[in-house]
Amino acid sequence: MYESIINRLSFFDGIDILAPLIERDFRGRIALVSSFGAESAVLLHMAAQIDRSIPVIFLDTGKLFWETISYRSKLVDHLGLTDIRTIKPKAAELAQADPQGMLHASNPDLCCHIRKREPLERALSGFAAWISGRKRFHGGARANIPTLEVANGRLKIEPLARFTGKDIENYIEHHDLPRHPFIGEGYRSIGCLPCTVKGGTSDNPRAGRWAGLSKEECGIHWSANGKPLRVSRH
Ligand code: SF4
C-alpha cells in the first residue's frame, strides 16, 4: 500500500503532496508534528488550507523557550487549527533519569530520548502516517531526505524536503505569516533552551543546535534501518 502511494506522489511537493494524503489516502489517520520553530509556519499553513482539524503534535520537552510556547498560541489562532496535541515526557521517567533537569549537559541523547522520542512514539500510536517539516538545504543528515518514506511502520511525509531557504522566506512573506519572535534576533533554528544558541547561516541554519557537540539530530527521525539519525559534523 505504501509503495503505490510513494510511486504516485513522491515527485510532488508542498500542498500538492499533502492534499491527497490528508483528504483521501490517510483521512483521519495522519498527524503533523511541529516544533513551532523558525520555519514551522509554512507547513502548518499548508495543512490548515486543507484541513484545520488535522491533529498537530507539539512536543513540550519542558525545556522550550517560553517565546516558542507563546508563538504556538499565536500561530494556532492565526491559522485556525483546532486539534493541537501537546505531548510531554513522562514525569516518572524524568524523576528517575533527570531529577535535576540537567541531563542535557551530561547525556543529550538520553535527554532527547526521554523528552522527545518516547513521547512522540506514544503520540503517533494509532496513526498510519505523519508529516514532518525537514528540508534538504539544512544539510548534514537531511541533505538527501526523501519526500516520502516508510519509517517505523508508518509513512513519513516531508512536503518541504526540496524547498530552499528562499522558498521558505517567499512563502512566509507571500502569506504574511506570523514569525517566531526570535527571527531577526540571530536565531535560524530554535529548539530547547539549553541546546540552542544564536547562529547558523543560510547554508547551515542548524549550526546553533547542540553547538560544540557532534550531535545534529534529536533522534525523532529514523533512518531506513529503524535507527535514529545521528550524524557527526566531523
Ligand atoms: S534538545 Fe537538549 S534539552 Fe531538549 S530534549 Fe534534547 S538534549 Fe534535552
Side-chain angles (χ1 to χ4, degrees):
M1 169 193 158
Y2 290 143
E3 197 180 327
S4 68
I5 291 172
I6 291 172
N7 289 338
R8 176 162 51 89
L9 293 176
S10 60
F11 295 105
F12 292 95
D13 297 296
I15 203 162
D16 294 330
I17 200 170
L18 282 177
L21 293 171
I22 293 173
E23 289 177 326
R24 193 178 59 227
D25 296 293
F26 293 101
R27 192 174 183 82
R29 298 182 299 136
I30 186 169
L32 186 155
V33 177
S34 180
S35 66
F36 287 84
E39 299 167 344
S40 297
V42 174
L43 190 57
L44 290 164
H45 180 264
M46 288 177 179
Q49 303 312 297
I50 303 163
D51 180 3
R52 288 180 177 169
S53 69
I54 186 172
V56 175
I57 295 170
F58 173 67
L59 295 173
D60 182 353
T61 63
K63 294 289 183 184
L64 298 175
F65 292 92
W66 70 262
E67 287 88 345
T68 298
I69 307 285
S70 164
Y71 177 58
R72 175 197 56 183
S73 303
K74 183 176 180 180
L75 196 51
V76 165
D77 283 352
H78 181 84
L79 298 175
L81 292 161
T82 61
D83 188 2
I84 307 301
R85 304 185 184 188
T86 298
I87 309 298
K88 301 190 176 194
K90 284 183 177 165
E93 283 198 24
L94 288 180
Q96 186 183 11
D98 193 11
Q100 308 301 323
M102 292 300 292
L103 188 60
H104 59 85
S106 58
N107 191 340
D109 282 346
L110 181 58
C111 186
C112 279
H113 179 84
I114 292 171
R115 294 179 183 274
K116 292 186 175 181
R117 189 168 179 193
E118 192 279 329
L120 178 63
E121 193 52 33
R122 256 191 291 127
L124 287 176
S125 167
F127 289 106
W130 65 291
I131 306 160
S132 159
R134 293 183 301 163
K135 300 103 192 159
R136 291 179 184 170
F137 83 87
H138 284 179
R142 303 186 174 202
N144 295 305
I145 52 170
T147 51
L148 293 168
E149 67 177 326
V150 180
N152 254 25
R154 298 182 189 91
L155 188 68
K156 186 174 178 192
I157 305 137
E158 304 279 5
L160 308 181
R162 289 185 281 252
F163 273 49
T164 65
K166 188 71 182 156
D167 292 333
I168 297 293
E169 185 56 32
N170 287 345
Y171 191 99
I172 291 172
E173 253 187 58
H174 180 73
H175 294 283
D176 196 20
L177 298 176
R179 294 175 190 264
H180 192 290
F182 282 1
I183 299 303
E185 301 288 324
Y187 294 88
R188 285 183 177 265
S189 180
I190 302 151
C192 291
L193 188 157
C195 304
T196 303
V197 295
K198 293 180 182 180
T201 62
S202 54
D203 288 341
N204 186 12
R206 288 173 60 82
R209 305 286 293 277
W210 302 287
L213 302 179
S214 63
K215 185 175 171 64
E216 284 189 358
E217 298 283 347
C218 59
I220 66 170
H221 300 287
W222 299 274
S223 65
N225 64 8
K227 293 185 175 159
L229 289 172
R230 186 172 189 278
V231 178
S232 169
R233 297 182 206 274
H234 308 298

